[in-house]
Amino acid sequence: MTIHNLYIFSRNGTLLYYSEWNRLNKSGITMEEEAKLMYGMLFSIKSFVSKISPLDPKEGFLYYKTSKYTLHYLETPSGLKFVLNTDNGAQNIRGLLQQLYSQVYLEYVVKNPLCQLNEPIQSELFKQKVDALIKHSQYF
Amino acid sequence: MIVLSSTWRDSKRHLFKFSQEMSRAGSRLDSKKVNSELFTLTYGALVAQLLKDYENIDDVNKQLERMGYNMGIRLIEDFLARTGSGRCYDFRDTAEKIQTGFKIFLGITPTITNWSTAGDEFSLCFESNPLTEFVELPDHCLNLKYCNILTGVLRGACEMVQMEVASWFVQDQLKNDSVTELRVKFIKRLEDAIPAGED
């Protein structure tokens, strides 16, 4: 199993953090453009899902899958967005995303007064902890 | 995050636990319990310092609210991660979640009362309040809203979940009322941010 890469967006669409572990195909555009493209797509999927759903879309958009990879999506009620690409074998990755939120983002960004909440995350400690969590997960 | 436990008799044990847990802070992620007296007195020191720094009591009220706001926008993440709660269905749901928040962070359960007929306003009544233990207001401070930090916390936290609320104190035990009553009013829903367009 493989985890490809991770994006974290703030509630206003700023790319707070990006990290990749196993990405074979480069997008060929700058990170800035790529982040915009990604956020725009997520935004569209979200509104698509909430409009088209025949029932009350409780949690909304959860993931999508192509023939090669799966994109997992977690949005907190405060608008923070976690996006993780894995291969198709990984199932039920929500727990991992929740952990990323409650054990890494909360502990090392929210509780660090030197980290501004709407700016890209610079903290080395945060980077290490994300890396450790992902590498030790069973999906890596 | 510091969580308060307000039992008097357990104070020694808690203080011991606190120092013990501070020494291995970082390695543990569960909530750390702390005696409420430590918190009460620290908050008292903060208010006293603000009173020294600002001549005008209204400025102190404003600063407390602003500090509360800055706490609220971070505290909400802790609340969401801990409770795993989703977005609110209605304002009654919000009221209950705010109540849970007080339980988690201050160790008290305020009662929810006095709903307005439109359902957009309610009151939180505190019989005891860890912020104001050992506190007496001197005569020249009668305008001071000692707990004003709470109104800021509510505003900041709700703003992060797309809700604009206002809150203010209508009764205060420090001003010889029988309970402390915090009135909360829903103002409007904030919309989701749309992505920035192509330049």
Side-chain angles (χ1 to χ4, degrees):
Chain A
M1 285 203 253
T2 315
I3 290 178
H4 298 300
N5 53 0
L6 166 78
Y7 304 77
I8 303 177
F9 291 97
S10 78
R11 64 204 293 256
N12 335 327
T14 314
L15 181 66
L16 296 179
Y17 186 69
Y18 174 77
S19 186
E20 62 184 39
W21 290 273
N22 183 9
R23 181 175 179 172
L24 301 172
N25 180 39
K26 302 284 176 218
S27 61
I29 50 177
T30 64
M31 199 54 226
E32 203 181 32
E33 284 176 89
E34 188 184 307
K36 259 192 202 171
L37 206 58
M38 176 58 99
Y39 188 80
M41 180 198 67
L42 295 172
F43 191 86
S44 307
I45 293 184
K46 244 178 68 183
S47 66
F48 172 78
V49 166
S50 67
K51 288 201 176 77
I52 235 70
S53 167
L55 303 167
D56 177 24
K58 285 229 166 57
E59 290 200 77
F61 171 49
L62 299 176
Y63 67 91
Y64 76 66
K65 195 180 223 176
T66 73
S67 56
K68 299 276 192 212
Y69 77 102
T70 308
L71 177 144
H72 304 266
Y73 179 75
L74 174 80
E75 183 175 343
T76 69
S78 54
L80 214 63
K81 296 159 186 78
F82 294 83
V83 180
L84 192 70
N85 287 317
T86 67
D87 66 354
N88 288 335
Q91 301 227 320
N92 219 346
I93 222 134
R94 281 193 94 61
L96 181 63
L97 288 176
Q98 285 282 3
Q99 266 184 308
L100 209 54
Y101 173 51
S102 65
Q103 294 176 11
V104 185
Y105 181 81
L106 179 70
E107 295 296 323
Y108 301 102
V109 176
V110 177
K111 292 186 185 176
N112 179 351
L114 296 176
C115 282
Q116 294 296 318
L117 293 182
N118 269 319
E119 287 169 18
I121 299 164
Q122 306 292 344
S123 160
E124 277 304 319
L125 185 60
F126 174 78
K127 290 174 193 175
Q128 284 170 20
K129 296 288 176 182
V130 171
D131 206 53
L133 180 71
I134 296 292
K135 285 193 170 147
H136 288 119
S137 81
Q138 52 174 319
Y139 308 105
F140 190 75
Chain B
M1 185 47 51
I2 287 171
V3 174
L4 296 175
S5 135
S6 53
T7 42
W8 273 78
R9 61 195 155 76
D10 289 340
S11 62
K12 256 194 190 155
R13 190 164 59 85
H14 278 304
L15 273 177
F16 174 66
K17 246 180 108 185
F18 178 63
S19 63
Q20 229 184 5
E21 296 195 356
M22 284 311 273
S23 62
R24 16 162 227 229
S27 62
R28 294 171 50 119
L29 292 164
D30 55 340
S31 65
K32 296 162 187 73
K33 298 253 177 201
V34 58
N35 180 262
S36 68
E37 287 168 40
L38 177 61
F39 172 68
T40 306
L41 297 175
T42 311
Y43 183 69
L46 169 75
V47 178
Q49 185 62 45
L50 285 174
L51 282 168
K52 239 180 252 171
D53 291 350
Y54 294 90
E55 291 179 3
N56 191 339
I57 302 242
D58 289 337
D59 288 343
V60 176
N61 292 338
K62 219 177 283 171
Q63 280 304 319
L64 284 174
E65 206 270 354
R66 221 180 56 120
M67 288 171 154
Y69 175 81
N70 288 327
M71 288 162 72
I73 58 177
R74 286 176 188 257
L75 211 52
I76 184 72
E77 302 288 359
D78 195 17
F79 176 79
L80 293 171
R82 229 182 257 235
T83 59
S85 57
R87 287 209 173 168
C88 298
Y89 297 108
D90 56 19
F91 204 46
R92 284 181 191 270
D93 194 16
T94 310
E96 273 163 35
K97 286 188 173 139
I98 290 175
Q99 191 185 36
T100 317
F102 276 103
K103 176 97 198 100
I104 295 177
F105 295 115
L106 284 178
I108 47 173
T109 312
T111 42
I112 303 168
T113 55
N114 296 341
W115 278 96
S116 66
T117 41
D120 65 342
E121 260 186 74
F122 65 90
S123 289
L124 290 166
C125 286
F126 304 85
E127 304 221 324
S128 66
N129 181 351
L131 286 180
T132 58
E133 253 177 83
F134 327 120
V135 176
E136 259 178 60
L137 286 189
D139 288 339
H140 68 279
C141 289
L142 287 179
N143 271 336
L144 178 70
K145 294 169 188 154
Y146 188 84
C147 299
N148 216 28
I149 201 153
L150 295 180
T151 63
V153 171
L154 287 185
R155 182 168 70 91
C158 288
E159 186 180 306
M160 295 306 280
V161 287
Q162 314 288 77
M163 252 188 306
E164 194 178 325
V165 299
S167 59
W168 60 93
F169 285 97
V170 285
Q171 291 191 72
D172 194 338
Q173 279 166 328
L174 290 179
K175 291 163 190 164
N176 293 327
D177 295 313
S178 57
V179 289
T180 299
E181 180 179 349
L182 180 60
R183 193 93 183 130
V184 185
K185 182 180 169 59
F186 174 80
I187 296 176
K188 66 171 185 216
R189 275 207 81 78
L190 303 166
E191 289 306 317
D192 263 351
I194 33 172
E198 289 297 318
D199 301 320

